[in-house]
mmCIF file of all heavy atoms in Angstrom:
data_model
loop_
_atom_site.group_PDB
_atom_site.id
_atom_site.type_symbol
_atom_site.label_atom_id
_atom_site.label_comp_id
_atom_site.label_asym_id
_atom_site.label_seq_id
_atom_site.Cartn_x
_atom_site.Cartn_y
_atom_site.Cartn_z
ATOM 1 N N THR A 372 57.644 -12.953 77.479
ATOM 2 C CA THR A 372 56.794 -13.939 78.158
ATOM 3 C C THR A 372 57.411 -14.325 79.493
ATOM 4 O O THR A 372 56.717 -14.416 80.520
ATOM 5 C CB THR A 372 56.609 -15.186 77.289
ATOM 6 O OG1 THR A 372 55.967 -14.819 76.058
ATOM 7 C CG2 THR A 372 55.773 -16.226 77.996
ATOM 8 N N GLU A 398 70.466 -23.126 81.929
ATOM 9 C CA GLU A 398 70.278 -24.302 82.784
ATOM 10 C C GLU A 398 69.600 -25.446 82.035
ATOM 11 O O GLU A 398 69.785 -26.609 82.383
ATOM 12 C CB GLU A 398 69.451 -23.917 84.014
ATOM 13 C CG GLU A 398 70.190 -23.000 84.982
ATOM 14 C CD GLU A 398 69.297 -22.529 86.117
ATOM 15 O OE1 GLU A 398 68.058 -22.784 86.050
ATOM 16 O OE2 GLU A 398 69.810 -21.912 87.068
ATOM 17 N N GLU A 402 74.530 -30.770 77.022
ATOM 18 C CA GLU A 402 75.986 -30.708 76.905
ATOM 19 C C GLU A 402 76.439 -30.534 75.460
ATOM 20 O O GLU A 402 77.493 -29.976 75.193
ATOM 21 C CB GLU A 402 76.616 -31.979 77.491
ATOM 22 C CG GLU A 402 76.499 -32.095 79.007
ATOM 23 C CD GLU A 402 77.270 -30.997 79.716
ATOM 24 O OE1 GLU A 402 78.327 -30.565 79.191
ATOM 25 O OE2 GLU A 402 76.823 -30.558 80.792
ATOM 26 N N VAL A 430 53.866 9.434 55.366
ATOM 27 C CA VAL A 430 53.842 10.080 54.052
ATOM 28 C C VAL A 430 52.903 9.329 53.111
ATOM 29 O O VAL A 430 52.108 9.930 52.373
ATOM 30 C CB VAL A 430 55.268 10.151 53.458
ATOM 31 C CG1 VAL A 430 55.223 10.596 52.009
ATOM 32 C CG2 VAL A 430 56.132 11.103 54.275
ATOM 33 N N ARG A 434 49.333 11.074 56.913
ATOM 34 C CA ARG A 434 49.139 11.443 58.314
ATOM 35 C C ARG A 434 49.995 12.640 58.698
ATOM 36 O O ARG A 434 50.994 12.943 58.050
ATOM 37 C CB ARG A 434 49.479 10.259 59.221
ATOM 38 C CG ARG A 434 48.410 9.175 59.249
ATOM 39 C CD ARG A 434 48.782 8.064 60.195
ATOM 40 N NE ARG A 434 49.815 7.204 59.621
ATOM 41 C CZ ARG A 434 50.479 6.275 60.306
ATOM 42 N NH1 ARG A 434 50.240 6.119 61.586
ATOM 43 N NH2 ARG A 434 51.381 5.535 59.706
ATOM 44 N N LEU A 450 68.475 16.363 74.627
ATOM 45 C CA LEU A 450 69.025 16.400 75.982
ATOM 46 C C LEU A 450 70.441 15.865 76.058
ATOM 47 O O LEU A 450 71.014 15.795 77.143
ATOM 48 C CB LEU A 450 68.101 15.603 76.923
ATOM 49 C CG LEU A 450 66.641 16.093 76.958
ATOM 50 C CD1 LEU A 450 65.799 15.172 77.822
ATOM 51 C CD2 LEU A 450 66.571 17.514 77.490
ATOM 52 N N GLN A 485 70.347 -9.308 61.369
ATOM 53 C CA GLN A 485 70.210 -9.158 59.929
ATOM 54 C C GLN A 485 68.755 -8.983 59.506
ATOM 55 O O GLN A 485 68.472 -8.385 58.475
ATOM 56 C CB GLN A 485 70.805 -10.374 59.210
ATOM 57 C CG GLN A 485 72.326 -10.430 59.247
ATOM 58 C CD GLN A 485 72.882 -11.517 58.350
ATOM 59 O OE1 GLN A 485 72.388 -12.644 58.358
ATOM 60 N NE2 GLN A 485 73.905 -11.204 57.585
ATOM 61 N N ASP A 487 66.247 -7.334 61.182
ATOM 62 C CA ASP A 487 65.624 -6.069 61.574
ATOM 63 C C ASP A 487 66.716 -5.150 62.095
ATOM 64 O O ASP A 487 67.372 -5.461 63.089
ATOM 65 C CB ASP A 487 64.563 -6.326 62.648
ATOM 66 C CG ASP A 487 63.767 -5.078 63.001
ATOM 67 O OD1 ASP A 487 64.212 -3.961 62.678
ATOM 68 O OD2 ASP A 487 62.689 -5.218 63.620
ATOM 69 N N LEU A 493 71.987 -11.205 70.970
ATOM 70 C CA LEU A 493 72.865 -11.576 72.076
ATOM 71 C C LEU A 493 73.261 -13.032 71.877
ATOM 72 O O LEU A 493 72.418 -13.921 71.913
ATOM 73 C CB LEU A 493 72.139 -11.391 73.411
ATOM 74 C CG LEU A 493 72.862 -11.923 74.655
ATOM 75 C CD1 LEU A 493 74.187 -11.190 74.873
ATOM 76 C CD2 LEU A 493 71.967 -11.806 75.885
ATOM 77 N N ALA A 499 84.809 -22.582 74.969
ATOM 78 C CA ALA A 499 85.533 -23.313 73.925
ATOM 79 C C ALA A 499 85.025 -22.938 72.538
ATOM 80 O O ALA A 499 85.785 -22.929 71.565
ATOM 81 C CB ALA A 499 85.400 -24.818 74.150
ATOM 82 N N VAL A 516 88.018 -15.285 51.608
ATOM 83 C CA VAL A 516 89.390 -14.804 51.678
ATOM 84 C C VAL A 516 89.375 -13.324 52.027
ATOM 85 O O VAL A 516 88.652 -12.538 51.415
ATOM 86 C CB VAL A 516 90.109 -15.023 50.326
ATOM 87 C CG1 VAL A 516 91.532 -14.484 50.386
ATOM 88 C CG2 VAL A 516 90.088 -16.494 49.961
ATOM 89 N N ALA A 524 93.385 -0.388 50.973
ATOM 90 C CA ALA A 524 93.890 0.986 50.906
ATOM 91 C C ALA A 524 93.076 1.833 49.936
ATOM 92 O O ALA A 524 92.986 3.060 50.088
ATOM 93 C CB ALA A 524 95.363 0.981 50.493
ATOM 94 N N GLN A 530 93.880 12.553 52.374
ATOM 95 C CA GLN A 530 93.786 13.991 52.527
ATOM 96 C C GLN A 530 93.999 14.717 51.198
ATOM 97 O O GLN A 530 93.432 15.775 50.951
ATOM 98 C CB GLN A 530 94.823 14.469 53.551
ATOM 99 C CG GLN A 530 94.668 15.923 53.990
ATOM 100 C CD GLN A 530 93.352 16.189 54.696
ATOM 101 O OE1 GLN A 530 92.872 15.335 55.413
ATOM 102 N NE2 GLN A 530 92.760 17.351 54.479
ATOM 103 N N LEU A 549 80.349 20.040 66.115
ATOM 104 C CA LEU A 549 79.404 18.925 66.138
ATOM 105 C C LEU A 549 80.085 17.635 66.585
ATOM 106 O O LEU A 549 79.506 16.845 67.335
ATOM 107 C CB LEU A 549 78.785 18.744 64.751
ATOM 108 C CG LEU A 549 77.743 19.789 64.346
ATOM 109 C CD1 LEU A 549 77.396 19.655 62.877
ATOM 110 C CD2 LEU A 549 76.489 19.649 65.198
ATOM 111 N N PRO A 560 81.278 5.111 70.598
ATOM 112 C CA PRO A 560 82.251 5.717 69.680
ATOM 113 C C PRO A 560 82.073 5.281 68.235
ATOM 114 O O PRO A 560 82.207 6.091 67.318
ATOM 115 C CB PRO A 560 83.598 5.242 70.257
ATOM 116 C CG PRO A 560 83.331 5.105 71.716
ATOM 117 C CD PRO A 560 81.922 4.573 71.815
ATOM 118 N N ALA A 561 81.746 4.002 68.030
ATOM 119 C CA ALA A 561 81.601 3.502 66.660
ATOM 120 C C ALA A 561 80.386 4.086 65.956
ATOM 121 O O ALA A 561 80.303 4.052 64.733
ATOM 122 C CB ALA A 561 81.501 1.980 66.672
#
Side-chain angles (χ1 to χ4, degrees):
T372 299
E398 291 174 351
E402 291 295 327
V430 170
R434 284 182 284 169
L450 303 175
Q485 288 189 314
D487 186 343
L493 172 63
V516 178
Q530 190 63 35
L549 286 170

